[in-house]
Amino acid sequence: MSDEHEHGSDDGDSEADGDSHHEPERETFSHDPVGHAEVRAGMTVGELADQYGNAGVGAADLHEAVDVTESMFDDDVTVFFGLAGAMVPTGMRRIVADLIREGHIDVLVTTGANLTHDAIEAIGGKHHHGEVHAEGKTEREHDETLRDEGVDRIYNVYLPQEFFADFESHLREEVFPVLEAECEEEGAVSIQRLTEELGRANLEVNDRDDVDEGPGIAAAAYENDVPIYCPAVQDSVLGLQAWMYSQTGAFTLDALADMTPLTDIAFHADEAGAFVVGGGVPKNFTLQTMLVAPDAYDYAVQLTMDPKQTGGLSGATLDEARSWGKLEKDADNVSVYADATITFPLVVAAALERLEN
């Protein structure tokens, strides 16, 4: 009995060994190997982005972002552009303004802070390169010194506080009186009407005073009939100034007035794309627009540094947005997790190069 039992066990082991040689074919390893990016003197941004496609991790994501952006910038796609973070004071202002002028942005959703800094540059103010740490001082001591000197710091960018006084005068002399007169007749104006009037005033003062820097984002939107929505305008110096002005006059803003025209644009778009820089309110406001439209976004790109693991919207993947119905099931989308002051110019430049060729 013992010998038969052992013999039976041997047969079973042999059968198991035979099965182990029948492994399934691994189709995922039969194509598309990771290559090695080639860089050389004189190559264009588009050529560099193509080389990113040979690599993995963030390089591959950026390459895909260029692909999706190229498709999104097609003439038949209505592009909703979300702009959060300190993109204007860090030098990204001209890129956004040019995209508006070239017809690649149909709707802009941004922060009151970006509009504030945009207007400051339009009327003659400037942001300056600064330091995070000053030699011989802690970061706190450095910021205490800047406070005494009247300089505001945005990481490694400085803004002298007197430019906010100029901005206040600009609003009170060039922007708010026109809107107040409209409020006396209509009761309130929309936030989009405020951003439109701000663009007009920025353009006129920039031209009148022959300012070296261009008139900027709001001015470009005004000239090209691109609406700017700023759903959290209260969270900015622009919002603070609007509130203070409203305390002594008829000027007031209707926070819900923008919802109908914004959703109308989404409703009538044959194809729609979302290009989102940063997160926060502009990202959500851009994406949620499709919740009341018959269709969803066909293309989407987001550039962010916020991780998805926190569950917050700023870092949430666009794939997650698909579960909400904000993106079509077959939408082309990609999230790039890196500093947007680095990725934004690269993606835009490479996509535009492809469109021109």
Side-chain angles (χ1 to χ4, degrees), residues 140-182:
R140 174 169 178 162
E141 290 170 339
H142 176 47
D143 286 321
E144 289 174 350
T145 300
L146 292 176
R147 172 70 175 270
D148 293 337
E149 294 176 349
V151 177
D152 294 326
R153 180 171 72 87
I154 306 169
Y155 189 59
N156 58 0
V157 173
Y158 291 163
L159 179 65
Q161 290 179 357
E162 58 264 27
F163 291 140
F164 284 112
D166 295 338
F167 177 59
E168 178 180 2
S169 298
H170 177 61
L171 294 174
R172 288 180 170 270
E173 295 169 10
E174 306 287 346
V175 180
F176 291 156
V178 176
L179 298 173
E180 184 176 21
E182 294 178 12

Coordinates of all heavy atoms in Angstrom, one line a residue, residues 140-182:
R140 N 11.9 82.8 7.5 CA 11.0 83.7 8.2 C 11.6 85.1 8.3 O 10.9 86.1 8.1 CB 10.7 83.2 9.6 CG 9.9 84.1 10.5 CD 9.4 83.5 11.7 NE 8.6 84.4 12.5 CZ 7.8 84.1 13.5 NH1 7.6 82.8 13.8 NH2 7.2 85.1 14.2
E141 N 12.9 85.2 8.7 CA 13.5 86.5 8.8 C 13.5 87.2 7.5 O 13.3 88.5 7.4 CB 15.0 86.3 9.3 CG 15.0 85.9 10.8 CD 16.4 85.5 11.2 OE1 17.3 85.2 10.3 OE2 16.7 85.5 12.4
H142 N 13.7 86.5 6.4 CA 13.7 87.0 5.1 C 12.4 87.7 4.8 O 12.3 88.8 4.3 CB 14.1 86.0 4.1 CG 14.0 86.4 2.6 ND1 14.5 87.6 2.2 CD2 13.4 85.8 1.5 CE1 14.3 87.7 0.8 NE2 13.6 86.6 0.5
D143 N 11.3 86.9 5.1 CA 10.0 87.4 4.8 C 9.6 88.6 5.7 O 8.8 89.5 5.3 CB 8.9 86.3 4.9 CG 9.0 85.3 3.8 OD1 9.2 85.8 2.6 OD2 8.9 84.1 4.0
E144 N 10.1 88.6 6.9 CA 9.9 89.8 7.8 C 10.5 91.0 7.2 O 9.9 92.1 7.3 CB 10.4 89.5 9.2 CG 9.6 88.4 10.0 CD 10.2 88.0 11.3 OE1 11.4 88.4 11.5 OE2 9.6 87.3 12.1
T145 N 11.7 90.9 6.7 CA 12.4 92.0 6.0 C 11.6 92.5 4.8 O 11.4 93.7 4.6 CB 13.8 91.6 5.6 OG1 14.6 91.2 6.7 CG2 14.5 92.7 4.9
L146 N 11.1 91.5 4.0 CA 10.3 91.9 2.8 C 9.0 92.7 3.3 O 8.6 93.6 2.6 CB 9.9 90.7 2.0 CG 11.1 90.0 1.3 CD1 10.5 88.7 0.6 CD2 11.7 90.9 0.3
R147 N 8.4 92.2 4.4 CA 7.2 92.9 4.9 C 7.6 94.4 5.2 O 6.8 95.3 4.9 CB 6.8 92.2 6.1 CG 5.6 92.9 6.9 CD 4.3 92.8 6.2 NE 3.3 93.4 7.0 CZ 2.5 92.7 7.8 NH1 2.7 91.4 7.9 NH2 1.5 93.3 8.5
D148 N 8.7 94.6 5.9 CA 9.1 95.9 6.2 C 9.4 96.8 5.0 O 9.2 98.0 5.0 CB 10.4 95.9 7.1 CG 10.1 95.3 8.5 OD1 8.9 95.3 8.9 OD2 11.1 94.8 9.1
E149 N 9.9 96.1 3.9 CA 10.2 96.8 2.7 C 9.1 97.0 1.8 O 9.2 97.7 0.7 CB 11.4 96.1 2.0 CG 12.7 96.1 2.8 CD 13.7 95.2 2.1 OE1 13.4 94.5 1.1 OE2 14.9 95.3 2.5
G150 N 7.9 96.4 2.1 CA 6.7 96.5 1.3 C 6.8 95.7 0.0 O 6.5 96.2 -1.1
V151 N 7.3 94.5 0.1 CA 7.4 93.6 -1.0 C 6.7 92.3 -0.7 O 6.9 91.7 0.3 CB 8.9 93.3 -1.3 CG1 9.0 92.3 -2.5 CG2 9.7 94.6 -1.7
D152 N 5.8 91.9 -1.6 CA 5.1 90.6 -1.5 C 5.9 89.5 -2.2 O 6.4 89.8 -3.3 CB 3.7 90.7 -2.0 CG 2.8 91.6 -1.2 OD1 3.0 91.7 0.0 OD2 2.0 92.3 -1.8
R153 N 6.0 88.3 -1.6 CA 6.7 87.2 -2.2 C 5.8 86.1 -2.7 O 4.9 85.7 -1.9 CB 7.8 86.7 -1.2 CG 8.6 85.5 -1.8 CD 9.7 85.2 -0.8 NE 9.3 84.5 0.4 CZ 9.2 83.2 0.5 NH1 9.4 82.4 -0.6 NH2 8.8 82.6 1.6
I154 N 6.0 85.6 -3.9 CA 5.3 84.5 -4.4 C 6.4 83.5 -4.7 O 7.0 83.5 -5.9 CB 4.5 84.8 -5.7 CG1 3.5 85.9 -5.4 CG2 3.7 83.5 -6.2 CD1 2.8 86.5 -6.6
Y155 N 6.8 82.6 -3.8 CA 7.9 81.7 -3.9 C 9.2 82.5 -4.2 O 9.8 83.2 -3.4 CB 7.7 80.6 -4.8 CG 8.8 79.5 -4.8 CD1 9.0 78.8 -3.6 CD2 9.5 79.2 -5.9 CE1 10.1 77.9 -3.5 CE2 10.5 78.2 -5.8 CZ 10.8 77.6 -4.6 OH 11.8 76.6 -4.5
N156 N 9.7 82.4 -5.5 CA 10.9 83.2 -5.9 C 10.6 84.4 -6.8 O 11.4 84.8 -7.6 CB 11.9 82.2 -6.5 CG 11.4 81.6 -7.8 OD1 10.2 81.8 -8.2 ND2 12.2 80.7 -8.4
V157 N 9.4 84.9 -6.6 CA 9.0 86.1 -7.4 C 8.6 87.2 -6.4 O 7.9 86.9 -5.4 CB 7.8 85.8 -8.3 CG1 7.3 87.0 -9.0 CG2 8.2 84.7 -9.4
Y158 N 9.0 88.4 -6.7 CA 8.6 89.6 -5.8 C 7.7 90.5 -6.6 O 7.7 90.6 -7.8 CB 9.9 90.4 -5.5 CG 10.9 89.8 -4.6 CD1 12.2 90.3 -4.6 CD2 10.6 88.7 -3.8 CE1 13.2 89.8 -3.7 CE2 11.6 88.1 -3.0 CZ 12.9 88.7 -2.9 OH 13.8 88.1 -2.1
L159 N 6.8 91.1 -5.8 CA 5.9 92.1 -6.3 C 5.8 93.3 -5.3 O 5.3 93.1 -4.2 CB 4.5 91.6 -6.5 CG 3.4 92.6 -7.1 CD1 3.8 93.0 -8.5 CD2 2.1 91.9 -7.1
P160 N 6.3 94.5 -5.7 CA 6.2 95.6 -4.8 C 4.8 96.0 -4.5 O 3.9 96.0 -5.4 CB 6.9 96.7 -5.6 CG 7.9 96.0 -6.5 CD 7.1 94.8 -6.9
Q161 N 4.4 96.3 -3.3 CA 3.1 96.5 -2.9 C 2.4 97.7 -3.5 O 1.2 97.8 -3.6 CB 3.0 96.5 -1.3 CG 3.2 95.2 -0.7 CD 3.1 95.2 0.8 OE1 2.9 96.3 1.4 NE2 3.3 94.1 1.5
E162 N 3.2 98.7 -3.9 CA 2.7 99.9 -4.5 C 1.9 99.6 -5.7 O 1.0 100.4 -6.1 CB 3.7 100.9 -4.7 CG 4.8 100.5 -5.7 CD 6.1 100.0 -4.9 OE1 5.9 99.5 -3.8 OE2 7.2 100.1 -5.5
F163 N 2.2 98.5 -6.4 CA 1.4 98.1 -7.6 C 0.0 97.8 -7.3 O -0.9 97.9 -8.1 CB 2.1 97.0 -8.4 CG 3.4 97.4 -9.0 CD1 4.5 96.5 -9.0 CD2 3.6 98.6 -9.6 CE1 5.7 96.9 -9.5 CE2 4.8 99.0 -10.1 CZ 5.9 98.1 -10.1
F164 N -0.3 97.3 -6.1 CA -1.7 97.0 -5.7 C -2.4 98.3 -5.5 O -3.6 98.4 -5.8 CB -1.7 96.2 -4.4 CG -1.4 94.8 -4.6 CD1 -0.2 94.2 -4.1 CD2 -2.2 93.9 -5.3 CE1 0.1 92.9 -4.2 CE2 -1.9 92.6 -5.5 CZ -0.8 92.1 -5.0
A165 N -1.8 99.4 -5.1 CA -2.4 100.7 -5.0 C -2.7 101.2 -6.4 O -3.8 101.8 -6.6 CB -1.5 101.7 -4.3
D166 N -1.8 101.0 -7.3 CA -2.1 101.4 -8.7 C -3.3 100.6 -9.3 O -4.1 101.1 -10.0 CB -0.9 101.2 -9.6 CG 0.3 102.0 -9.2 OD1 0.1 103.1 -8.6 OD2 1.5 101.7 -9.5
F167 N -3.3 99.3 -8.9 CA -4.4 98.5 -9.4 C -5.8 99.0 -8.8 O -6.8 99.0 -9.5 CB -4.2 97.0 -8.9 CG -5.2 96.0 -9.3 CD1 -5.6 95.8 -10.6 CD2 -5.9 95.3 -8.2 CE1 -6.6 94.9 -10.9 CE2 -6.8 94.4 -8.5 CZ -7.2 94.2 -9.8
E168 N -5.8 99.3 -7.6 CA -7.0 99.9 -7.0 C -7.5 101.1 -7.7 O -8.7 101.3 -8.0 CB -6.8 100.2 -5.5 CG -8.0 100.8 -4.8 CD -7.8 101.1 -3.3 OE1 -6.7 100.9 -2.8 OE2 -8.8 101.5 -2.7
S169 N -6.6 102.0 -8.0 CA -6.9 103.2 -8.7 C -7.5 102.9 -10.1 O -8.4 103.5 -10.6 CB -5.7 104.1 -8.8 OG -5.3 104.6 -7.6
H170 N -6.8 101.9 -10.7 CA -7.3 101.5 -12.1 C -8.7 101.0 -12.0 O -9.5 101.4 -12.9 CB -6.3 100.4 -12.5 CG -6.7 99.8 -13.9 ND1 -6.7 100.5 -15.0 CD2 -7.0 98.5 -14.2 CE1 -7.0 99.7 -16.0 NE2 -7.2 98.4 -15.6
L171 N -9.0 100.2 -11.0 CA -10.4 99.7 -10.9 C -11.4 100.8 -10.6 O -12.5 100.8 -11.2 CB -10.5 98.6 -9.8 CG -9.7 97.3 -10.0 CD1 -9.7 96.4 -8.8 CD2 -10.3 96.5 -11.2
R172 N -11.1 101.7 -9.7 CA -12.0 102.7 -9.3 C -12.2 103.8 -10.4 O -13.3 104.4 -10.4 CB -11.5 103.3 -8.0 CG -11.7 102.4 -6.8 CD -11.2 103.0 -5.5 NE -11.6 102.2 -4.4 CZ -12.8 102.3 -3.7 NH1 -13.6 103.3 -4.0 NH2 -13.1 101.5 -2.7
E173 N -11.2 104.0 -11.2 CA -11.3 105.0 -12.2 C -11.7 104.5 -13.6 O -12.4 105.2 -14.3 CB -9.9 105.7 -12.4 CG -9.5 106.5 -11.1 CD -8.0 106.9 -11.2 OE1 -7.5 106.8 -12.3 OE2 -7.5 107.4 -10.2
E174 N -11.3 103.3 -13.9 CA -11.5 102.8 -15.3 C -12.6 101.7 -15.4 O -13.1 101.4 -16.5 CB -10.2 102.3 -15.9 CG -9.0 103.3 -15.8 CD -9.2 104.4 -16.8 OE1 -10.0 104.3 -17.7 OE2 -8.4 105.4 -16.7
V175 N -12.8 100.9 -14.3 CA -13.6 99.7 -14.4 C -14.9 99.8 -13.7 O -16.0 99.7 -14.3 CB -12.8 98.5 -13.9 CG1 -13.7 97.2 -14.0 CG2 -11.5 98.3 -14.7
F176 N -14.9 100.1 -12.4 CA -16.1 100.0 -11.5 C -17.2 101.0 -11.9 O -18.4 100.7 -11.8 CB -15.7 100.1 -10.1 CG -15.0 98.9 -9.5 CD1 -14.1 99.1 -8.4 CD2 -15.1 97.7 -10.1 CE1 -13.4 98.0 -7.9 CE2 -14.4 96.6 -9.6 CZ -13.6 96.7 -8.5
P177 N -16.8 102.3 -12.3 CA -17.9 103.3 -12.5 C -18.8 102.8 -13.7 O -20.0 103.0 -13.6 CB -17.1 104.5 -12.9 CG -15.8 104.4 -12.2 CD -15.5 102.9 -12.2
V178 N -18.2 102.2 -14.7 CA -19.1 101.8 -15.8 C -20.0 100.7 -15.4 O -21.2 100.7 -15.7 CB -18.2 101.2 -17.0 CG1 -19.0 100.6 -18.1 CG2 -17.2 102.3 -17.5
L179 N -19.5 99.8 -14.6 CA -20.4 98.7 -14.1 C -21.4 99.2 -13.1 O -22.5 98.6 -13.0 CB -19.5 97.6 -13.4 CG -18.5 96.9 -14.4 CD1 -17.5 96.0 -13.6 CD2 -19.2 96.2 -15.5
E180 N -21.0 100.1 -12.3 CA -22.0 100.7 -11.3 C -23.2 101.3 -12.0 O -24.3 101.2 -11.6 CB -21.3 101.7 -10.4 CG -22.2 102.3 -9.3 CD -21.5 103.2 -8.4 OE1 -20.4 103.8 -8.8 OE2 -22.0 103.4 -7.3
A181 N -22.9 102.0 -13.1 CA -24.0 102.6 -13.9 C -24.9 101.5 -14.4 O -26.2 101.7 -14.4 CB -23.4 103.4 -15.0
E182 N -24.4 100.4 -14.9 CA -25.2 99.3 -15.3 C -26.0 98.7 -14.2 O -27.2 98.3 -14.4 CB -24.3 98.2 -16.0 CG -23.6 98.7 -17.3 CD -22.7 97.7 -17.9 OE1 -22.8 96.5 -17.4 OE2 -21.9 98.0 -18.8

